[in-house]
Amino acid sequence: METAEHTLPKLGYTYDALEPHIDAETMSVHHSKHHASYVAKLNEALKKTPDLKSKPLDWLLTHLDEVPPSVKTAIRNNGGGHLNHTMFWQLMSPNGGGDPVGPLADAIARDFGDADEFRREFEAQGAKVFGSGWVWLTADDGGKLSVVTTGGHDNPLMDGLTPILVNDVWEHAYYLKHQNRRPDYLSGWWAVTDWRAANDRYAQMARS
Ligand code: MN
């Protein structure tokens, strides 16, 4: 049976909806060029490995040992790029901002002290990523939260952690507006953070 190819997900908002915090040109290039190219290259790699076409992305990224060496790097980079960006778009909203909500708010208070302490830690870790990567809020199997970073398009799933919130600190995510000032991008990003979506991810994890 022919399995459907991976496709670029539609955003839940327009390219200019996150202005002024993320400008429309950055959103357009980021989604329609960068993310689209990861999807295209992932599909290209999977054409060479038909047995893997039906595997979910999170399976591929956690079973790279079972991926043929000839496509392993392509699947790691482009599969990770597709999965990470798909999560990232869902964790932002023009109606975002404010403080954490629901059980996630309680867990942040428990594990970081309060939301401001969490935000400081997330910004500090994101600012320290050398080169291209991502900064994450993750939960372990017991629900304990941590801030971690990954290089390239690696995802914390690869280390057995569940991603709850993520920000993209590749230069393509902020350079048109902020140039070298990544800390400004990180501190401004809280205005578009979708805490309800993050709490949904946390609550869903607690149930599974
Ligand atoms: Mn990106």
Side-chain angles (χ1 to χ4, degrees), residues 30 34-35 38 81 85 88-89 133-134 153 168-170 172-173:
H30 202 173
H34 289 285
H35 189 171
Y38 301 132
H85 285 93
F88 179 55
W89 310 132
W134 299 75
H153 286 321
D168 185 344
V169 297
W170 283 56
H172 68 218

Side-chain angles (χ1 to χ4, degrees), residues 65-157:
D65 289 351
E66 296 175 41
V67 173
S70 60
V71 292
K72 190 191 272 192
T73 301
I75 286 181
R76 178 176 184 167
N77 292 345
N78 297 296
H82 180 29
L83 181 63
N84 293 1
H85 285 93
T86 299
M87 289 182 183
F88 179 55
W89 310 132
Q90 291 170 351
L91 286 160
M92 298 189 290
S93 166
N95 306 312
D99 282 318
V101 296
L104 179 59
D106 300 336
I108 284 174
R110 180 193 66 206
D111 294 337
F112 295 96
D114 60 36
D116 285 337
E117 280 299 322
F118 160 69
R119 279 186 277 252
R120 266 192 285 277
E121 172 74 8
F122 192 90
E123 289 177 42
Q125 294 284 333
K128 276 197 294 195
V129 172
F130 184 74
S132 299
W134 299 75
V135 56
W136 308 80
L137 173 65
T138 61
D140 69 13
D141 287 343
K144 183 170 175 18
L145 301 175
S146 307
V147 173
V148 304
T149 63
T150 57
H153 286 321
D154 282 358
N155 186 295
L157 284 170

Side-chain angles (χ1 to χ4, degrees), residues 183-203:
D184 291 355
Y185 163 70
L186 283 161
S187 61
W189 185 73
W190 302 116
V192 296
T193 307
D194 188 344
W195 284 111
R196 277 188 297 182
N199 182 58
D200 287 348
R201 294 187 64 85
Y202 187 70

Side-chain angles (χ1 to χ4, degrees), residues 1-76:
M1 192 183 88
E2 184 71 8
T3 308
E5 294 203 320
H6 291 275
T7 54
L8 182 67
K10 285 197 166 46
L11 299 185
Y13 38 81
T14 55
Y15 287 144
D16 63 358
L18 305 181
E19 292 263 14
H21 307 288
I22 304 182
D23 57 288
E25 189 183 8
T26 295
M27 284 299 297
S28 167
V29 173
H30 202 173
H31 178 257
S32 73
K33 306 290 186 207
H34 289 285
H35 189 171
S37 114
Y38 301 132
V39 173
K41 288 175 183 164
L42 173 64
N43 285 328
E44 203 57 42
L46 288 172
K47 267 189 198 141
K48 299 170 191 157
T49 51
D51 294 351
L52 298 179
K53 278 185 81 172
S54 62
K55 300 290 190 191
L57 266 185
D58 55 353
W59 188 95
L60 288 171
L61 292 171
T62 51
H63 294 77
L64 287 168
D65 289 351
E66 296 175 41
V67 173
S70 60
V71 292
K72 190 191 272 192
T73 301
I75 286 181
R76 178 176 184 167

